[in-house]
Amino acid sequence: MKRIKCVIAYDGANFAGYQIQPDKRTVQGEIEKALERMHKGRKIRIHAAGRTDGKVHAVGQVIHFDSPLSLREEQWVKALNALLTDEIAVRKAEFVDSSFHARYSAKGKEYRYRILRKKERDPFLRHYAYHFPEPLDVPAMRKAMGYFVGTHDFTAFCSAKTETEDRVRTIEAFELSETKDEMVFRVRGNGFLYNMVRIIIGTVLEVGSGKRDADEIPEILARKDRNLAGKTVPGHGLYLWEVFY
Amino acid sequence: MKRIKCVIAYDGANFAGYQIQPDKRTVQGEIEKALERMHKGRKIRIHAAGRTDGKVHAVGQVIHFDSPLSLREEQWVKALNALLTDEIAVRKAEFVDSSFHARYSAKGKEYRYRILRKKERDPFLRHYAYHFPEPLDVPAMRKAMGYFVGTHDFTAFCSAKTETEDRVRTIEAFELSETKDEMVFRVRGNGFLYNMVRIIIGTVLEVGSGKRDADEIPEILARKDRNLAGKTVPGHGLYLWEVFY
């Protein structure tokens, strides 16, 4: 038995998210179906670093699984890509120790959030960037972003559906880059709660729109009330960019 | 009655091409449906500069139509975008003289063809660039491209289904730009026959792959036989980029 770690990318547009669900098309479902074919009907369970939501994309998602097949690393890449929909690409496969776990061994993750700033809509980006052409106060946003960096209890910035008890996480970096037509947020941290990136970005955009003040952020963090934070931005602008081990 | 010229963009991935067809989803069908709603059930026929095929995209397609409605130019943009699928964007609307015709008044067009050169496939570009990672002899391709520039009978470089009698066209410019992972062809001319851009690019790629010699091009043009030219490259890498009047 060998444990295989794969780095995968996927276009989330036509998936009901990563995690397998009955009667829905999911990334996990597609990969497990391909693995089942390779293993002649035997079910192979895969484990991912993070479970992305519907419409959310991945450039560097990481999964692992165990297999008795004797394929070389590059043969795993080819065989899986040959069996998978072209919405998913296996970028790399690597043998790892049986103590490796895609989720529990991860030391951190980087997410990116892409915003289309130009006024006119862009048919080519409708699944790939959140169209938000309204004026934004970028210095105020950067000030707000600064308050998130560090170790905090992120209860106010995760979905009410979050089941995890411990909501203390560390955001190591939170950056914003701008081009003429786009704005990209990069956020790197040791772990993220359910909807955490999307609620943080939503709150930063509300600061940028003048709906709230950057200096409210420490108070919102301290009060741990989801209702005090901003709206959850749409999933289609979000990318699980990289997982660190 | 006013004649309105619109510049439109569309993602061709989920359309059976531009031209209206019974029981198929087409760009023309979607726009005429939106116009019919705006005109309370009255059918408004639109005319386009070029009829793009299935999967083919447009960044600067031009259409015109006549309407008795009294809307301002920017109101046409807003009203149509509000009624249209987000796969189509009306970028601009402008009143034109009744002698203007999107197709017959056009003096020229620019098409672009996008090729993904990196070895690994990219889920995000599966509808937007032709994946062709094989080695290419770019100097040989540039030599081949040079033979197409100028005025020629392009019978050998159009689909056998072409109905147009006069196949003499002028290619004014044919350029190739390269980045690390992509190659983009730009071709500008006074008019293009059915599948002409895709057959020319297919032939240039065969020169690049060493399957044929650049110096065969003048002979192929002269012999006017479609069977002598290269394969038609897939539609999803093609963009109708701009129409000149």
Side-chain angles (χ1 to χ4, degrees):
Chain A
M1 208 68 155
K2 271 195 166 156
R3 181 155 291 189
I4 297 112
K5 171 193 175 192
C6 294
V7 180
I8 63 171
Y10 47 84
D11 175 344
N14 301 315
F15 290 115
Y18 170 80
Q19 195 171 21
I20 206 158
Q21 295 176 62
D23 306 320
K24 294 218 171 141
R25 208 166 160 267
T26 64
V27 178
Q28 184 181 5
E30 292 295 310
I31 298 174
E32 292 191 352
K33 204 168 64 184
L35 284 169
E36 192 175 325
R37 282 180 63 188
M38 286 180 71
H39 292 79
K40 305 197 162 89
R42 177 170 163 184
K43 287 204 188 303
I44 303 288
R45 178 49 46 119
I46 66 170
H47 301 269
R51 288 166 299 202
T52 53
D53 272 335
K55 312 288 175 203
V56 175
H57 310 291
V59 167
Q61 168 76 289
V62 173
I63 59 163
H64 85 261
F65 57 89
D66 295 323
S67 169
L69 298 184
S70 55
L71 293 176
R72 291 193 310 274
E73 292 172 332
E74 66 277 17
Q75 289 176 316
W76 276 109
V77 175
K78 279 193 187 163
L80 282 169
N81 280 333
L83 290 170
L84 281 168
T85 158
D86 58 6
E87 298 160 82
I88 304 174
V90 175
R91 300 177 52 197
K92 201 181 162 184
E94 187 181 356
F95 298 127
V96 285
D97 192 88
S98 65
S99 65
F100 175 88
H101 191 287
R103 186 169 170 200
Y104 302 122
S105 306
K107 292 215 165 34
K109 289 196 197 96
E110 179 176 328
Y111 281 93
R112 295 196 184 180
Y113 197 88
R114 192 173 169 195
I115 292 175
L116 177 65
R117 295 285 298 144
K118 66 178 174 181
K119 202 173 173 186
E120 70 180 19
R121 71 184 182 199
D122 185 333
F124 299 102
L125 293 180
R126 71 193 192 285
H127 295 311
Y128 308 112
Y130 174 38
H131 190 204
F132 192 93
E134 289 76 27
L136 286 171
D137 178 347
V138 175
M141 287 163 63
R142 290 190 189 277
K143 190 178 181 193
M145 288 164 65
Y147 286 120
F148 290 102
V149 179
T151 303
H152 306 281
D153 183 314
F154 284 96
T155 301
F157 293 91
C158 65
S159 162
K161 287 183 236 159
T162 305
E163 285 169 7
T164 327
E165 294 273 317
D166 177 14
R167 281 106 182 257
V168 176
R169 296 289 182 279
T170 300
I171 291 187
E172 290 139 17
F174 191 8
E175 290 155 14
L176 171 59
S177 61
E178 289 181 277
T179 57
K180 192 175 147 279
D181 291 333
E182 292 193 26
M183 190 173 260
V184 176
F185 291 94
R186 303 179 192 196
V187 53
R188 210 179 62 225
N190 67 348
F192 294 89
L193 299 161
Y194 188 45
N195 278 354
M196 180 171 147
V197 177
R198 289 162 61 186
I199 298 168
I200 290 176
I201 306 282
T203 307
V204 170
L205 286 178
E206 289 180 13
V207 169
S209 305
K211 285 188 190 136
R212 53 174 83 227
D213 201 272
D215 295 323
E216 290 173 34
I217 308 292
E219 170 80 8
I220 302 172
L221 281 163
R223 290 185 49 194
K224 302 178 195 173
D225 178 356
R226 167 68 188 94
N227 299 312
L228 299 176
K231 289 208 181 103
T232 309
V233 286
H236 69 275
L238 186 62
Y239 295 74
L240 171 50
W241 199 262
E242 199 175 346
V243 185
F244 305 100
Y245 292 94
Chain B
M1 208 66 153
K2 272 197 164 153
R3 180 155 293 189
I4 296 113
K5 171 194 173 192
C6 293
V7 180
I8 62 171
Y10 47 84
D11 176 344
N14 301 316
F15 289 116
Y18 170 79
Q19 195 171 20
I20 206 158
Q21 295 175 62
D23 306 321
K24 294 221 171 137
R25 208 164 162 267
T26 65
V27 177
Q28 183 181 5
E30 292 295 309
I31 298 174
E32 291 190 352
K33 203 168 66 184
L35 283 168
E36 193 175 324
R37 282 181 62 187
M38 287 181 70
H39 292 78
K40 305 198 162 89
R42 176 170 165 185
K43 286 203 188 305
I44 303 288
R45 176 52 43 122
I46 66 171
H47 301 269
R51 290 166 298 203
T52 52
D53 272 335
K55 311 291 174 199
V56 175
H57 310 291
V59 167
Q61 167 75 288
V62 173
I63 59 162
H64 85 260
F65 57 89
D66 294 325
S67 169
L69 298 185
S70 56
L71 293 176
R72 291 192 310 275
E73 291 172 334
E74 66 278 14
Q75 289 176 316
W76 276 109
V77 174
K78 278 192 188 163
L80 281 170
N81 280 333
L83 291 170
L84 280 169
T85 158
D86 59 5
E87 297 159 82
I88 305 173
V90 175
R91 300 176 52 195
K92 201 182 163 185
E94 186 181 357
F95 298 127
V96 286
D97 192 88
S98 64
S99 65
F100 175 88
H101 191 289
R103 186 170 170 199
Y104 302 122
S105 306
K107 291 214 165 38
K109 289 195 195 97
E110 178 177 329
Y111 281 92
R112 295 196 184 181
Y113 197 87
R114 192 172 168 196
I115 292 175
L116 177 65
R117 296 285 296 143
K118 66 178 175 183
K119 202 170 171 190
E120 70 179 19
R121 69 184 185 200
D122 185 333
F124 300 102
L125 294 180
R126 72 193 191 284
H127 295 310
Y128 307 112
Y130 174 37
H131 189 205
F132 192 92
E134 289 77 26
L136 286 171
D137 178 347
V138 175
M141 287 163 63
R142 292 192 188 275
K143 190 178 181 193
M145 289 165 65
Y147 286 121
F148 290 102
V149 178
T151 303
H152 306 282
D153 183 314
F154 284 96
T155 301
F157 293 91
C158 65
S159 162
K161 288 183 237 161
T162 305
E163 286 169 6
T164 327
E165 294 273 319
D166 176 14
R167 281 109 182 255
V168 176
R169 297 291 183 277
T170 301
I171 291 187
E172 291 139 15
F174 191 7
E175 289 155 16
L176 170 59
S177 61
E178 289 182 275
T179 56
K180 191 176 148 278
D181 291 333
E182 291 194 27
M183 190 174 257
V184 177
F185 291 94
R186 304 178 191 197
V187 53
R188 209 179 63 226
N190 68 348
F192 293 89
L193 299 161
Y194 187 45
N195 278 355
M196 180 170 146
V197 177
R198 289 162 61 187
I199 298 169
I200 290 175
I201 306 283
T203 308
V204 170
L205 286 179
E206 290 180 12
V207 168
S209 305
K211 286 189 191 136
R212 52 173 82 229
D213 201 89
D215 294 324
E216 291 172 32
I217 309 291
E219 170 80 8
I220 302 173
L221 282 163
R223 289 185 51 194
K224 302 179 194 171
D225 178 356
R226 167 67 187 95
N227 298 311
L228 299 177
K231 289 209 181 103
T232 310
V233 286
H236 70 273
L238 186 63
Y239 296 74
L240 171 49
W241 199 264
E242 199 175 347
V243 184
F244 305 100
Y245 292 94

